Structures are given as structure tokens and as C-alpha cells.
Amino acid sequence: MKIGIIGSGVVAQTLGSGFLKHGHAVVLGTRTASRLAEWATDHPTGRVGSFAEAAHFGELVVLAVRGQVAAEALRLAGAENFAAKPVIDATNPIADAPPIHGVLRFFTNLDESLMERLQHEFPGARLVKAFNSVGSACMVNPQFAGGRPTMFICGNDEEAKIAVRGLLDELGWETADMGRVEAARAIEPLCMLWCIPGLLHNDWSHAFKLLT
Ligand SMILES: NC(=O)c1ccc[n+]([C@@H]2O[C@H](COP(=O)([O-])OP(=O)(O)OC[C@H]3O[C@@H](n4cnc5c(N)ncnc54)[C@H](OP(=O)(O)O)[C@@H]3O)[C@@H](O)[C@H]2O)c1
């Protein structure tokens, strides 16, 4: 699959490397290509471009930028470049205010998630929340004694979620589909819960599993 990633941070780089490892074609998008010079050298089969070039390239697009600029990044990418495509939304609405006793602060509330805001502004995008509730070091084929961890996803488009489920399967995850975009109100705060052991005890190697 051709995958365009909007972002140059650790999440974009990690997922880009992971997708390349599994045989996909990847373009990473940034406003400043020099930020990705090392990644480009280490991954000669991957490519670097603008946000718009990455979005245009992808049959599937990943949004991996700071939550506060997520809408701005999609505007820069150009809605026409990701219209009707599955768009994995890995962002979290983390505010600038410092954590309180290890609990991150969000600029959203429990009645409106960041993904709902993005879906409202970009109705043509087939957004799927995924990869937001685990640290980058555990995103690609993580190894846990408890077996495959669970990625909670949501989104309004069933076909887009099937595509994302396929990628998650390759990257060593089981998928729990929590339904439509409003479920992001519950999935985004999983990031707060996931970060608490890290912020309190510098323990960042864990993931969620749904037991049934
Ligand atoms: N770090 C993790 O382990 C982790 C895990 C799960 C989810 N997440 C979420 O994933 C997202 C990405 O996290 P990250 O740590 O990889 O990167 P990040 O540092 O949060 O974001 C870097 C990206 O934001 C873009 N950006 C910054 N200011 C911008 C602006 N004014 N306009 C447009 N774009 C702007 C940068 O663009 P340029 O490329 O042009 O510099 C860069 O691509 C975040 O929402 C984060 O909450 C992070």
C-alpha cells in the first residue's frame, strides 16, 4: 500500500519505518525536510516531501502532528489530497499546561474529542483514530509477555477501519473497534492513562489489552 504520513516527529518516523519494514511504500511529510535528513539516510526506500505531497501520495494517510496544530496541518496538506482516503488520526489533544501528578492536561473535554473537530472540518476524510494510546517505542510489533496488545480504534467509515485493522494486524496488534467518531472521546484520554506510569515512575513499556 502507498502510505503518506503527515508529520516528522517520533511517531511519524516510527510508523514510517514500520510500514516500510512490512513492504509498504512511504512518504513522510514535513514543512522542513532537514528534520528528516537522518531518517531519509537510514531509509533509502522511503521518501520525504511536504504535507501535501505525503497526503497526495498515500492511498492511506496518517496524521501524526502535535494535537494543537492538527487542523492546521490538514489544511496545509490540502483537503483534496486526502479526500475519500482512510486517514489514521494518531494525535492527542495535549494542552501546553504541565501535567498534574502525572496526569496530562487536554484542551478538549469529554463531550468533544479532537477527532470529532477534525472530522467536522474535513467531512471528506475517512478518519480512523489509532496509535494514540501507546508510546512510539511500542507501536511496531511490540513484544509483551501477555501477548498481542489491543489497539482501540473508532471512525465513521467501515471500509477505512478494515484497512487500518489490516495494518494493525501486520504491526502486531489486535484491534478493538469502538464504533463511530464520538468514541474518540473515550479513546483519546487513554493517552492520559498510558502516560501516568511514565510521568510518575519513568515506566513507558506497557500497552492496553481488552480481555473478553
Ligand atoms: N510521542 C509518542 O510516543 C506518541 C504516542 C502516541 C501518540 N502521539 C501523538 O502523536 C502526535 C505526534 O507526536 P510526535 O511526538 O511524533 O510529534 P510532535 O512533536 O507532537 O509533532 C511534530 C509535528 O508537528 C508539526 N507541527 C508543529 N507545529 C506545527 C504548525 N504550527 N503547523 C503545522 N505543523 C506543525 C511538525 O511539523 P514539521 O514536520 O514541519 O516540523 C511535526 O511534523 C501528537 O499528537 C502526539 O500526541 C505521540
Side-chain angles (χ1 to χ4, degrees), residues 41-105:
T41 304
D42 292 346
H43 301 85
T45 56
R47 279 181 28 219
V48 172
S50 65
F51 286 167
E53 285 166 340
H56 182 75
F57 172 81
E59 297 163 288
L60 178 146
V61 176
V62 179
L63 178 65
V65 299
R66 208 153 58 81
Q68 281 167 323
V69 300
E72 177 60 17
L74 288 180
R75 283 177 217 129
L76 289 170
E80 68 283 3
N81 287 322
F82 54 84
K85 297 179 181 179
V87 179
I88 293 178
D89 172 18
T91 67
N92 283 309
I94 298 172
D96 284 334
I100 301 176
H101 299 305
V103 181
L104 290 169
R105 313 278 286 277

Side-chain angles (χ1 to χ4, degrees), residues 16-17 19-21 23-27 39-48 57:
S17 309
F19 293 143
L20 283 174
K21 187 178 95 175
H24 300 286
V26 175
V27 172
W39 187 88
T41 304
D42 292 346
H43 301 85
T45 56
R47 279 181 28 219
V48 172
F57 172 81

Side-chain angles (χ1 to χ4, degrees), residues 61 63 74 82 85-89 114-120 122-129 154-157 160-161 164 181:
V61 176
L63 178 65
L74 288 180
F82 54 84
K85 297 179 181 179
V87 179
I88 293 178
D89 172 18
L114 176 56
M115 188 163 100
E116 287 171 272
R117 290 187 192 178
L118 298 176
Q119 189 67 83
H120 186 257
F122 302 96
R126 302 195 285 161
L127 289 172
V128 180
K129 198 89 208 175
C154 69
N156 290 345
D157 189 279
K161 287 192 282 191
V164 173
V181 64

Side-chain angles (χ1 to χ4, degrees), residues 101-169:
H101 299 305
V103 181
L104 290 169
R105 313 278 286 277
F106 273 16
F107 59 79
T108 49
N109 62 55
L110 288 175
D111 293 325
E112 190 195 30
S113 61
L114 176 56
M115 188 163 100
E116 287 171 272
R117 290 187 192 178
L118 298 176
Q119 189 67 83
H120 186 257
E121 182 171 343
F122 302 96
R126 302 195 285 161
L127 289 172
V128 180
K129 198 89 208 175
F131 291 109
N132 72 297
S133 56
V134 67
S136 59
C138 304
M139 282 181 179
V140 177
N141 301 106
Q143 300 297 318
F144 289 109
R148 282 192 173 222
T150 305
M151 188 69 75
F152 293 91
I153 70 165
C154 69
N156 290 345
D157 189 279
E158 296 304 320
E159 275 182 25
K161 287 192 282 191
I162 288 170
V164 173
R165 186 186 284 268
L167 287 177
L168 283 166
D169 195 47

